[in-house]
Amino acid sequence: FYEASWAALLYRSPESIVWQALTGIYPLDEVGLDDYSDAYRRDTFAMHDVVLELLRGYDRNALGDAELLTFEFYEWYLQDLVDSAPFAYHEFVTSYNLNGVHRSTETFFTQIHPLATVADANDYVTRLRDIGRKFDNLIEYLDLQSGSGIVEPGLTMDWALFGIGQIADATASNVSYYAAFRDKLDAIAGLSAAERQELLDAAFAATRDHVIPAYRSLRTRLQSLRNGAPSGIGVGQYPDGNAYYAYTLRHRTTTNLSATEIHQLGLDHLQRIHAEMRVIFDQLGYPQNESLHVLFQRVAQDGGVVPASDVKATYESIIDAAELELDQAFDIFPSADVVVADDQYGGFYIGPSFDGSRPGAFYAGTVFDEAWYRMPSLAYHEAVPGHHTQVAIAMDIDSGPSFRKMVRFTAFVEGWALYAERLAWELGWYDNDPYGNLGRLQYEALRAARLVMDTGIHSMGWTFEQAVQFNMANVGDSRNSSEGATARYSVWPAQATAYMVGMLRILEARQRAQDALGAAFDLKEFHRVVLTSGGVPLELLDKVVDQYVDSRLSAVQ
């Protein structure tokens, strides 16, 4: 049942199958892109109901602890999907950032789509020709969304329009979809010059005749909605907005914490983090009457700047050093490698493919010089022992149904990555680097501030400027960065709350295990238990740890 139902759900998104390099396991009958039409989405919602009902038809009382955990994992996942159905038009699908469908489509082609064979290349071109249909689906969604009283705020829509315009107004040869194809073709073995040119011509024509017109149509529709776009931010201003935000908080944090509780949690931890920063500022002799922004300008200057040409190699050396020290706290390691990939802005991770054809990749901003003080924590978060360590180990699990490897709950995944930053400090990796340690604390302040800002924006009526000022004062970021952070939280409700909530729950679980086991507590063992659970909802993480503690206590008694 698990495998059959999961396959049925997975086939609803052929892009996901290609993304994870699963076509050998889940072969595709047709070469195309995801169907985002309203009719197809509603059929998918109906499938969620059916699969959940079938799951609950099995007798959970007949299951042992491990089997029950898998049952409850799937149940939580399915129930969350069912709970999303009433909010079918609340998501901002054409926003400027990574969760915009047009942006993720571009990433799918330029970073993910295989180009190892001529068949891959032909499939790429075929899918390019399907972009117009997919974007028509997006336009249909925008029409239905606006008909339900929801239009993305004008401020972030303008950002989206700018990005869309960069493709809509470009010549085909300069469009990323074509350029990525052109640059990767030489990797196809045995490709003759004539075959290469034929493929290039086909990709050029598909970009010119399908991709660029699709972006132009999407821009036209957004421009027609722009006059009716609200000037304020926050989903609370829309019909059923408060209920939607309550859903997103549970979806992202996998807890029942309210907006008020999360808001206060952020304020409390900011107070703690600022006090920890002050200790190091005093050690460095920094004035007490300066703003965080000015203080971190000092940190950036005194900690040193890495030239753009050396950024990639510097991140590689940080990750290499981290891997050498992993056995301080781990006795389980991922089989997949992680590489540092070039990107204009960077700061994100894409996991390895299931077939081993693609390693995990930390995308680093390699176009501009970078201040050293934030580099170690970013590498620990995105690569080792953060995202890559967690995601790749989860993919290595060789027992249980496939969804345990593939489903990733934001609070666990991002919570683990933030926990990894803190773990590096606990292991002494910052001992001789006060600037790097301040970078860690600034990142932690960023995650605490997100709890306050996200709930402020979506639940408490904060203005854009109010959120920007809060970020500048409490994180120490520039106005530019603070505007970017505020815009992100405004179109991606609750996502930013997952990091700190997740880290705190992992720390709480660890402390509970330490208190119960005393001298028998083993950090390596704890990490193995947590990482091999797969990226569970935080509610189930407590159960995983409690079962581990009970088992360990039984063994030592």
Side-chain angles (χ1 to χ4, degrees), residues 2 57 76 151 416 482 542:
Y2 283 146
W76 209 105
V151 176
W416 173 267
S482 297
D542 289 338

Side-chain angles (χ1 to χ4, degrees), residues 243-417:
Y244 173 60
Y245 187 54
Y247 161 73
T248 62
L249 283 177
R250 178 159 173 76
H251 168 68
R252 292 298 183 183
T253 69
T254 62
T255 71
N256 288 316
L257 289 171
S258 68
T260 301
E261 290 171 321
I262 291 172
H263 192 86
Q264 188 60 49
L265 196 65
L267 292 172
D268 293 344
H269 280 279
L270 277 172
Q271 187 175 19
R272 169 187 63 80
I273 295 163
H274 290 161
E276 292 177 16
M277 287 177 174
R278 189 65 253 174
V279 171
I280 306 175
F281 288 146
D282 288 344
Q283 292 171 351
L284 293 173
Y286 289 179
Q288 294 200 2
N289 59 348
E290 290 182 340
S291 69
L292 268 186
H293 179 56
V294 172
L295 288 167
F296 274 105
Q297 284 182 317
R298 290 179 180 271
V299 173
Q301 180 176 346
D302 295 349
V305 174
V306 177
S309 58
D310 295 335
V311 165
K312 182 176 181 179
T314 302
Y315 274 123
E316 289 171 339
S317 68
I318 294 171
I319 293 169
D320 288 345
E323 288 179 326
L324 290 175
E325 299 292 339
L326 268 187
D327 60 2
Q328 289 179 268
F330 297 88
D331 60 8
I332 182 172
F333 310 97
S335 61
D337 290 331
V338 61
V339 298
V340 179
D342 296 293
D343 188 73
Q344 183 173 2
Y345 302 107
F348 62 95
Y349 168 80
I350 294 178
S353 58
F354 279 90
D355 68 353
S357 63
R358 189 183 73 240
F362 161 40
Y363 286 80
T366 54
V367 175
F368 306 103
D369 297 347
E370 188 162 349
W372 160 263
Y373 82 100
R374 298 181 78 164
M375 294 179 72
S377 287
L378 185 58
Y380 301 150
H381 181 103
E382 300 294 346
V384 177
H387 281 321
H388 179 71
T389 300
Q390 186 270 317
V391 169
I393 286 176
M395 291 172 64
D396 285 341
I397 297 172
D398 58 5
S399 62
S402 300
F403 67 81
R404 287 293 303 274
K405 300 181 182 183
M406 299 183 198
V407 174
R408 295 165 193 159
F409 293 96
T410 309
F412 184 93
V413 172
E414 295 297 354
W416 173 267

Side-chain angles (χ1 to χ4, degrees), residues 66-323:
E67 293 84 359
L68 184 59
L69 177 66
T70 294
F71 182 100
E72 291 178 336
F73 184 108
Y74 203 29
E75 183 181 41
W76 209 105
Y77 170 72
L78 292 167
Q79 184 64 62
D80 180 61
L81 291 172
V82 169
D83 291 344
S84 73
F87 310 109
Y89 306 120
H90 279 75
E91 185 179 357
F92 299 124
V93 300
T94 55
S95 62
Y96 72 96
N97 63 351
L98 293 175
N99 61 314
V101 175
H102 60 293
R103 287 289 309 277
S104 62
T105 302
E106 182 182 7
T107 300
F108 171 77
F109 277 95
T110 60
Q111 304 291 348
I112 301 300
H113 198 292
L115 277 172
T117 67
V118 172
D120 290 339
N122 284 320
D123 288 350
Y124 189 106
V125 173
T126 299
R127 290 190 172 101
L128 284 178
R129 295 172 182 145
D130 197 32
I131 285 180
R133 191 269 314 159
K134 183 178 180 180
F135 278 38
D136 285 344
N137 291 167
L138 291 182
I139 292 169
E140 177 195 35
Y141 177 97
L142 292 172
D143 291 340
L144 292 167
Q145 184 182 49
S146 62
S148 65
I150 303 169
V151 176
E152 181 180 344
L155 186 147
T156 51
M157 189 188 293
D158 287 341
W159 291 23
L161 282 166
F162 174 79
I164 291 167
Q166 289 185 309
I167 291 180
D169 294 331
T171 58
S173 58
N174 293 322
V175 170
S176 57
Y177 291 86
Y178 172 76
F181 182 84
R182 178 195 62 213
D183 295 343
K184 295 176 183 178
L185 266 191
D186 288 339
I188 299 177
L191 193 66
S192 70
E195 289 172 325
R196 182 180 187 278
Q197 190 59 51
E198 184 178 354
L199 286 168
L200 280 176
D201 290 344
F204 183 91
T207 303
R208 180 194 62 208
D209 300 338
H210 298 275
V211 177
I212 292 174
Y215 274 81
R216 288 176 178 169
S217 295
L218 182 60
R219 178 175 62 179
T220 297
R221 188 67 190 101
L222 285 172
Q223 286 172 333
S224 71
L225 293 169
R226 178 61 182 84
N227 289 338
S231 57
I233 58 174
V235 297
Q237 66 186 310
Y238 300 114
D240 297 322
N242 291 331
Y244 173 60
Y245 187 54
Y247 161 73
T248 62
L249 283 177
R250 178 159 173 76
H251 168 68
R252 292 298 183 183
T253 69
T254 62
T255 71
N256 288 316
L257 289 171
S258 68
T260 301
E261 290 171 321
I262 291 172
H263 192 86
Q264 188 60 49
L265 196 65
L267 292 172
D268 293 344
H269 280 279
L270 277 172
Q271 187 175 19
R272 169 187 63 80
I273 295 163
H274 290 161
E276 292 177 16
M277 287 177 174
R278 189 65 253 174
V279 171
I280 306 175
F281 288 146
D282 288 344
Q283 292 171 351
L284 293 173
Y286 289 179
Q288 294 200 2
N289 59 348
E290 290 182 340
S291 69
L292 268 186
H293 179 56
V294 172
L295 288 167
F296 274 105
Q297 284 182 317
R298 290 179 180 271
V299 173
Q301 180 176 346
D302 295 349
V305 174
V306 177
S309 58
D310 295 335
V311 165
K312 182 176 181 179
T314 302
Y315 274 123
E316 289 171 339
S317 68
I318 294 171
I319 293 169
D320 288 345
E323 288 179 326

Side-chain angles (χ1 to χ4, degrees), residues 454-485:
D454 198 287
T455 51
I457 290 167
H458 296 293
S459 182
M460 302 172 186
W462 279 26
T463 64
F464 186 84
E465 183 61 25
Q466 188 176 354
V468 168
Q469 291 296 330
F470 185 89
N471 196 75
M472 292 172 66
N474 288 278
V475 179
D477 274 344
S478 66
R479 180 174 185 90
N480 226 18
S481 294
S482 297
E483 288 180 350

